[in-house]
Amino acid sequence: MSLSDFFTSLPGLYATQAFFHSLVAAAIVEIAIVAFRIASPFVRLRLLLIAIVFPVFSYPLYQLADPGRGSVYFRMSALFDSSRWINIGLPWGVPLGAVLLLVFSITALVFLAQELLPILRHTFVSRKYGPPGELREGGDASVRAALEPLPVEKPETHILEDEDPVLFSSTGKKASIYLSSGLLKVLRAEELQAALAHEIAHIMRSRRPFLLPVFFVRIVMFFNPVALVEFRRSVQEDEKICDEMAASFTKKPLELAGALRKLYLDPGPAEDAGTDGGSRVSDRIEEYSHRLNIESRIARLENRPGSPSGGDWPVFLLTLCAVIVIDYFVV
Amino acid sequence: MQRKFSNYLLFAAAIAILAGGLKIAGWLPMLTQRDLMRKYASVEDVKAELSFREIRVPSYFPQNLSWPPSTVLAQGKPFPALIMEFEQAGGKSAGLVISQSGSASFRTDGRIKIAQLKEKVGYPLKGRDATLEVGTCGNGDPCSRISWSEGNTHITVAARSTPLELIKVAESMFR
């Protein structure tokens, strides 16, 4: 199969249009966020999901609605005809479509290595070997005291005997929060309560039935670099939503900000930071991005986060309509 | 949260700029790539600019169609393709569309579209296995289409007429 055969085949047309549709959708979502000055992570997450979910269905839906959309005449009058760019000849005799295919392949590898395999490994390891470390018998009184005033259903908590500060939740059949003995030493009582409230918010959100379909949609878009970026942005927005929920449970957003600062921003072992090497550079970029995200979350909490609610449906619907209309003319 | 009119105006303006940007981005490759699908003044121009081995033109034309083709579209890559549209005499709509392409995925259903397909049958066209489709266009007029392959070239002839006229046109494309 030649390259042009691939791009004129059904899978090729689907992949190409899904990519360009998500690119346009991401641009429109960004326009909506800026034009309407959207700060609420609930609304931002909902908008970002347009760029992730809609391109999965856009091509088959458009073709069903208008089978003539694939014809030469439609392409010639469209806003953007991707085949013109795909068929641009590069100096060494391959079309630009080969570069797009390379981008799809690299994205698929990144998705496999950084998203799918870690999830499968985590699921396999936690099912086969149980909790990742030695558990303290009988839990911890300070954790029980921190959970007591929270106005929500309390999950099980497990203390891992580990000097490093560790905190995460598992959301299987029985939701649990795992925290390390090292974490209990680092955080004050109020900060511990705020951190637990954040994990409880994650557990509550994971029970929502639409998360599983969104993840399957993410799998379908394994090749799509725009979906990769937008999905990671949506994960950051989800963290902010959980921050807002935690702040509403405890009424102490500054304590959560303090906990985040202690856990992620306080100087840790950075003796290797100045060494050279490609992998170190990528590590430092990742560390820098992570730091920026944490700082942004802290800034939100310190500037009084809004109430944890959605709203702004007119903006969502307007953005969705704009995406549907513009993407229709992108072939 | 209440949104101001200015927010909506800004959104609409930005979307308009995006649409304009897409149109320009879609047009840019046409500046550098001469062999992308574009309009040509005549079939001779296509022959001169693109390396077409053979362009099949019918020698029989129903009286209601006018020669030369009103529109000629062609491309050299990713595969060679040519579309010739012939207007109905006195009218502005295409009465006959002939397309030749190097790929079966090439679609020209736009100018003459069979809205209601009544019959789709195999038809022996001068020794070739052709597919004949008969039906009506959107306005209820008879429409028909015949397609076959000559080696690697896929040929489709569609007409706003009865299959009888269409077959005469198609048969006249063989010398």
Side-chain angles (χ1 to χ4, degrees):
Chain A
M1 184 189 251
S2 73
L3 211 58
S4 73
D5 285 342
F6 170 73
F7 283 113
T8 52
S9 69
L10 212 57
L13 285 167
Y14 178 82
T16 311
Q17 292 201 28
F19 167 69
F20 283 106
H21 287 172
S22 52
L23 196 63
V24 171
I28 293 174
V29 164
E30 210 52 47
I31 287 170
I33 288 173
V34 173
F36 295 105
R37 295 194 185 110
I38 291 167
S40 160
F42 284 86
V43 183
R44 290 169 74 107
L45 177 64
R46 202 180 289 147
L47 289 172
L48 289 172
L49 285 179
I50 294 176
I52 300 167
V53 177
F54 179 70
V56 175
F57 307 103
S58 57
Y59 176 66
L61 285 179
Y62 287 145
Q63 291 306 122
L64 273 176
D66 179 8
R69 192 172 163 273
S71 78
V72 173
Y73 297 106
F74 189 92
R75 283 185 169 272
M76 288 191 77
S77 60
L79 271 181
F80 182 85
D81 178 4
S82 58
S83 70
R84 289 182 185 166
W85 280 91
I86 283 166
N87 290 318
I88 287 180
L90 295 176
W92 49 92
V94 288
L96 197 58
V99 177
L100 186 63
L101 215 53
L102 186 69
V103 170
F104 286 171
S105 307
I106 292 169
T107 307
L109 286 176
V110 170
F111 169 74
L112 202 68
Q114 292 188 355
E115 291 183 27
L116 193 61
L117 285 180
I119 288 172
L120 292 177
R121 197 182 303 128
H122 172 74
T123 309
F124 175 73
V125 168
S126 61
R127 274 192 190 155
K128 192 167 181 184
Y129 301 108
E134 190 189 329
L135 293 180
R136 184 188 291 176
E137 290 287 330
D140 188 275
S142 63
V143 173
R144 282 193 292 274
L147 283 172
E148 189 53 38
L150 295 179
V152 287
E153 189 188 330
K154 277 78 178 175
E156 277 187 6
T157 53
H158 304 284
I159 313 298
L160 296 162
E161 293 298 354
D162 192 331
E163 282 309 300
D164 289 330
V166 175
L167 175 65
F168 64 90
S169 52
S170 74
T171 55
K173 278 182 187 167
K174 197 159 193 177
S176 306
I177 295 176
Y178 291 85
L179 59 164
S180 65
S181 50
L183 182 97
L184 295 176
K185 287 178 190 166
V186 172
L187 300 183
R188 289 185 292 105
E190 279 98 349
E191 289 169 341
L192 176 64
Q193 186 185 53
L196 288 168
H198 177 90
E199 289 308 314
I200 290 172
H202 271 302
I203 291 169
M204 289 169 74
R205 285 185 62 73
S206 73
R207 287 183 183 143
R208 298 174 75 160
F210 75 87
L211 280 179
L212 203 61
V214 167
F215 183 66
F216 282 116
V217 159
R218 172 75 196 99
I219 291 175
V220 174
M221 288 282 107
F222 69 96
F223 58 90
N224 190 336
V226 183
L228 183 90
V229 172
E230 295 300 278
F231 189 75
R232 288 180 183 196
R233 282 184 68 196
S234 70
V235 169
Q236 290 307 321
E237 293 303 331
D238 197 55
E239 288 295 331
K240 288 176 187 168
I241 289 172
C242 290
D243 286 349
E244 290 202 358
M245 289 171 75
S248 77
F249 298 154
T250 62
K251 313 286 182 218
K252 296 168 191 166
L254 294 180
E255 298 299 342
L256 181 57
L260 284 171
R261 188 171 279 119
K262 276 185 183 172
L263 293 176
Y264 299 110
L265 297 188
D266 279 355
E271 57 270 15
D272 295 336
T275 51
D276 291 332
S279 63
R280 291 291 154 88
V281 172
S282 65
D283 285 350
R284 288 214 300 274
I285 290 171
E286 196 174 328
E287 174 64 27
Y288 179 70
S289 310
H290 181 61
R291 202 180 169 85
L292 277 181
N293 283 322
I294 296 293
E295 281 172 352
S296 135
R297 284 171 62 190
I298 290 171
R300 279 187 62 78
L301 289 162
E302 288 177 344
N303 294 319
R304 295 186 178 204
S307 62
S309 62
D312 258 337
W313 282 105
V315 170
F316 174 80
L317 292 174
L318 186 67
T319 308
L320 183 62
C321 286
V323 169
I324 291 171
V325 171
I326 300 279
D327 272 349
Y328 177 75
F329 296 101
V330 173
V331 285
Chain B
M1 188 188 224
Q2 284 293 316
R3 297 290 174 201
K4 289 179 190 165
F5 177 71
S6 60
N7 294 126
Y8 288 97
L9 201 66
L10 181 62
F11 180 76
I15 294 296
I17 291 168
L18 175 72
L22 282 169
K23 193 76 188 166
I24 292 169
W27 166 77
L28 280 176
M30 303 292 280
L31 290 179
T32 56
Q33 307 288 304
R34 292 298 308 163
D35 45 5
L36 292 177
M37 178 62 76
R38 65 175 73 228
K39 264 188 179 180
Y40 287 85
S42 67
V43 176
E44 284 66 36
D45 283 2
V46 176
K47 279 181 185 164
E49 288 205 32
L50 303 174
S51 53
F52 273 78
R53 269 180 286 173
E54 189 180 11
I55 295 178
R56 288 181 179 270
V57 179
S59 52
Y60 167 79
F61 270 93
Q63 279 190 337
N64 65 331
L65 295 175
S66 56
W67 175 268
S70 55
T71 306
V72 178
L73 302 168
Q75 67 178 30
K77 68 181 183 187
F79 48 83
L82 169 78
I83 301 171
M84 289 179 285
E85 289 179 21
F86 300 89
E87 269 182 17
Q88 287 175 311
K92 284 187 178 175
S93 60
L96 177 72
V97 176
I98 298 173
S99 75
Q100 311 177 26
S101 79
S103 169
S105 65
F106 187 70
R107 287 178 54 198
T108 58
D109 49 336
R111 290 287 186 268
I112 298 177
K113 196 172 176 180
I114 299 178
Q116 197 183 2
L117 185 67
K118 289 183 177 165
E119 208 170 352
K120 184 174 180 178
V121 290
Y123 183 85
L125 185 76
K126 297 248 176 169
R128 280 86 172 169
D129 292 326
T131 304
L132 176 66
E133 293 163 272
V134 182
T136 51
C137 290
N139 57 1
D141 286 347
C143 270
S144 43
R145 181 167 54 207
I146 190 164
S147 48
W148 72 95
S149 296
E150 292 283 328
N152 292 328
T153 306
H154 302 268
I155 302 171
T156 302
V157 182
R160 253 178 242 279
S161 72
T162 59
L164 213 64
E165 285 286 334
L166 176 82
I167 288 166
K168 277 189 197 170
V169 173
E171 282 179 340
S172 75
M173 290 170 73
F174 299 97
R175 284 171 194 155

